[in-house]
Amino acid sequence: MEKDNPPSHEHEVCIVDEIESQRLAKGLEQRHVQMIAIAGAIGTGLFLGLGSSIQTGGPLGALLGYALVGTVVCAVQFALGEVSALMPVTGSFVRHVEVLVDPGLAFAVGWNVVYGALTSVPSEITACVVLIQYWSETDAAVWVTVMIVATAAMALLFVRAYGEIEFVLAILKILLIVGVVLMGLVIDLGGVPGQPRLGFHYWRDPGPFVAYIATGSWGQFLGFWAVMSNAVYSFAGVESLAMAAAEMRNPRQNLPKACKRVFARVTLFYLVSVLIVGMLVSSSDPRLADESGTAAESPFVIAASDAGIKVVPSIINAVVLSSAFSSSNQSILAGTRTLYGLALKGHAPRVFLQTTRQGVPWVCALLQIAVCGLAYLTCSNSALNVFYWLLDLTAAGVLISWSTVALNHIRLILACRSQGISPRELPWHNPATYYSSWFALVMCQIFLWTGGFAVFTRGNWSAADFVSSYLDIPLVLVFYLGYKFWKKTKIVPLKDIPIRQALLEAENDPENVPIKASGWSRLNILWG
């Protein structure tokens, strides 16, 4: 096993490091892992962002867009589950890429993830403050302070407490989705007194698709394609499920279960929600353009208001507030654990390896808490522009992360073939995942390079949109090539990837035993 010293060579035989196995507490159980996965995938994008998708692509365009991205997400999760079951390490795909591809790429992608997490937490704090001000007119700085204190507490809590909080927040989100979908069906079918039956009226008028930028069939296709960006960022965060793999109990069994089961359910949640919203609200409704950041812009709220149901806005605003707080928690987990993993491999200062007695990497957490002060910039209009510029630097980071996950899995399978190892020897494997990973990698690259296509059309140039869509690409390339030049790293040859060592560690892992459901848990469709 690796000792507590900086790595001195390009490629390590050790997979799960002695430091992380001894210092980090295994506080996350199966129900935590699967519900964290749901909590991470269902965020403000589902409750507030669907309206923008309907307005841009139409009801059918939005449904097809979310279905395509949902398929990519499922492919990414299968790839993540297969590699993580073999290598359940802190930092997840960032550590995987070090072993499977190139240490230089691990450095570049890892710091990209850390930077994205550091800036997204104050962003989520700002979103929470906006949602709170839906009810209260108290000075924003007061609520920013309250949220920073709450965030600091979350960052320093031991991982089991984090798991319990995310478990509860995930249940609240699921209850809200089920509730608004049932409400939508009642409204659509004419179940509200005095309201007509809608059916698929809005699919006929103004129609299933919306022309975006151009006219005719080409404009309708562009409307469908523009939905992709909203869909991608609605699912953002799903890749961080395995970031705390070293803090999970029986990760080689629990991670594949979470990746395999949860995201099919999450995709179903999204598709049903998009379908219902497209039936309830016209794509030409001007209220869908509301950018208040509160429940007022939710298409579910618009439909409920039209039906005379007054209590819905506050309920949705409250759960969206919990979603924003949950997204903040997830960014904290992703950022701190990635930074810990980088320090473990010598890509960050070793001071970040310091942990509390409860196994919390407290130095990593303190850095995250310090950066939360950026949320105060939102109290000033001029400073707000600076804050959004910092946030936009890694807006495309989610697609880079998904591409990395797919690439890791492809390299793992190729390495198995090169070394004469059957992929069936892996802790979890499905023959179709090799092809689905190629599909995910190609689609993520297409999304990445076409995400800002609108800025290249006549009259739609926007420097801010161009930066948010594309600046992250050269940033990652500069970090990657700069590290390769400085450290003289090379792409790891397929024959040198330590699959046998990883398989040996998996075989000798006393926790690595199949999980069998018993009693009522066999009927549990959420985390059983």
Side-chain angles (χ1 to χ4, degrees):
M1 301 296 286
E2 185 181 40
K3 301 302 180 181
D4 190 4
N5 293 310
S8 57
H9 47 85
E10 294 177 13
H11 182 60
E12 300 277 329
V13 174
C14 175
I15 305 300
V16 180
D17 196 282
E18 221 176 313
I19 297 176
E20 61 186 322
S21 63
Q22 293 178 357
R23 294 185 184 177
L24 300 177
K26 288 183 174 292
L28 297 178
E29 299 178 358
Q30 180 187 7
R31 63 185 179 90
H32 297 131
V33 175
Q34 297 210 27
M35 295 303 278
I36 286 172
I38 291 179
I42 301 174
T44 55
L46 175 61
F47 300 117
L48 302 184
L50 290 187
S52 174
S53 297
I54 296 292
Q55 186 181 45
T56 302
L60 182 55
L63 184 62
L64 292 175
Y66 273 85
L68 177 57
V69 175
T71 304
V72 172
V73 168
C74 285
V76 168
Q77 289 311 116
F78 289 158
L80 180 65
E82 197 157 314
V83 180
S84 297
L86 180 66
M87 305 177 186
V89 294
T90 303
S92 182
F93 60 90
V94 175
R95 292 272 299 284
H96 299 156
V97 79
E98 168 122 6
V99 176
L100 296 168
V101 187
D102 188 338
L105 189 57
F107 176 84
V109 173
W111 277 105
N112 191 61
V113 171
V114 170
Y115 180 87
L118 288 175
T119 55
S120 66
V121 173
S123 172
E124 296 295 346
I125 289 175
T126 301
C128 289
V129 172
V130 171
L131 290 162
I132 291 172
Q133 289 182 322
Y134 181 78
W135 300 297
S136 171
E137 295 183 358
T138 306
D139 184 54
V142 174
W143 290 117
V144 169
T145 303
V146 171
M147 292 306 305
I148 288 178
V149 172
T151 299
M154 284 299 305
L156 294 171
L157 281 175
F158 56 95
V159 75
R160 184 176 179 85
Y162 164 84
E164 296 294 353
I165 292 172
E166 288 299 291
F167 180 82
V168 173
L169 294 179
I171 290 177
L172 288 176
K173 293 178 184 182
I174 293 171
L175 290 175
L176 177 62
I177 291 176
V178 173
V180 295
V181 165
L182 291 177
M183 177 196 72
L185 284 173
V186 171
I187 294 173
D188 184 73
L189 297 176
V192 177
Q195 297 296 318
R197 184 181 183 277
L198 294 173
F200 284 88
H201 170 74
Y202 294 126
W203 284 55
R204 295 187 297 271
D205 180 23
F209 292 98
V210 171
Y212 177 68
I213 296 179
T215 57
S217 299
W218 178 240
Q220 291 177 347
F221 173 78
L222 292 181
F224 153 73
W225 199 256
V227 170
M228 300 299 176
S229 294
N230 282 344
V232 165
Y233 298 115
S234 293
F235 283 107
V238 297
E239 72 283 354
S240 62
L241 165 65
M243 283 297 182
E247 296 166 83
M248 297 176 185
R249 295 179 182 174
N250 198 354
R252 290 185 168 91
Q253 297 291 329
N254 280 324
L255 279 173
K257 281 181 175 291
C259 293
K260 181 171 59 175
R261 296 179 178 180
V262 170
F263 289 93
R265 299 165 190 164
V266 167
T267 302
L268 181 63
F269 284 144
Y270 270 92
L271 295 185
V272 171
S273 299
V274 174
L275 176 63
I276 295 298
V277 166
M279 295 163 65
L280 292 176
V281 184
S282 169
S283 59
S284 60
D285 193 318
R287 292 173 293 178
L288 293 177
D290 187 302
E291 296 182 354
S292 63
T294 67
E297 68 178 82
S298 171
F300 293 110
V301 169
I302 293 173
S305 299
D306 290 344
I309 305 175
K310 298 180 179 179
V311 71
V312 170
S314 287
I315 294 176
I316 290 182
N317 201 69
V319 178
V320 172
L321 174 60
S322 75
S323 296
F325 185 61
S326 173
S327 296
S328 174
N329 295 342
Q330 189 180 58
S331 293
I332 289 171
L333 188 74
T336 54
R337 271 48 178 188
T338 301
L339 184 55
Y340 185 90
L342 288 172
L344 204 58
K345 307 307 289 185
H347 300 317
R350 302 286 286 182
V351 67
F352 290 113
L353 291 177
Q354 297 297 317
T355 59
T356 64
R357 291 183 179 179
Q358 290 75 32
V360 178
W362 64 272
V363 179
C364 297
L366 287 182
L367 176 62
Q368 182 72 78
I369 294 167
V371 177
C372 287
L374 288 173
Y376 285 109
L377 291 175
T378 60
C379 299
S380 164
N381 289 332
S382 58
L384 184 60
N385 293 329
V386 176
F387 173 67
Y388 282 133
W389 184 82
L390 291 172
L391 190 62
D392 283 345
L393 288 179
T394 55
V398 60
L399 287 169
I400 292 175
S401 294
W402 291 0
S403 297
T404 304
V405 171
L407 177 62
N408 286 338
H409 180 254
I410 292 168
R411 290 276 298 177
L412 173 63
I413 300 303
L414 291 177
C416 284
R417 293 179 179 177
S418 175
Q419 299 176 29
I421 299 173
S422 171
R424 295 185 181 278
E425 294 184 45
L426 300 174
W428 180 60
H429 175 68
N430 186 308
T433 54
Y434 174 70
Y435 303 100
S436 65
S437 292
W438 272 111
F439 167 74
L441 179 60
V442 171
M443 291 306 301
C444 284
Q445 287 301 301
I446 293 174
F447 294 157
L448 179 63
W449 292 97
T450 64
F453 76 89
V455 302
F456 300 110
T457 58
R458 183 175 298 176
N460 290 299
W461 170 257
S462 167
D465 290 344
F466 176 80
V467 167
S468 64
S469 298
Y470 296 111
L471 186 60
D472 201 29
I473 300 173
L475 284 178
V476 171
L477 287 175
V478 167
F479 271 69
Y480 174 51
L481 296 176
Y483 190 87
K484 282 186 72 67
F485 176 78
W486 184 256
K487 294 290 187 177
K488 310 299 182 185
T489 66
K490 297 179 180 179
I491 295 177
V492 181
L494 292 174
K495 61 181 178 61
D496 290 341
I497 294 175
I499 299 177
R500 283 294 180 198
Q501 174 65 27
L503 289 172
L504 182 63
E505 290 186 25
E507 292 171 5
N508 293 330
D509 181 2
E511 284 192 327
N512 187 20
V513 293
I515 301 171
K516 296 181 179 180
S518 60
W520 71 272
S521 62
R522 287 178 293 183
L523 304 176
N524 183 359
I525 63 173
L526 289 179
W527 66 86

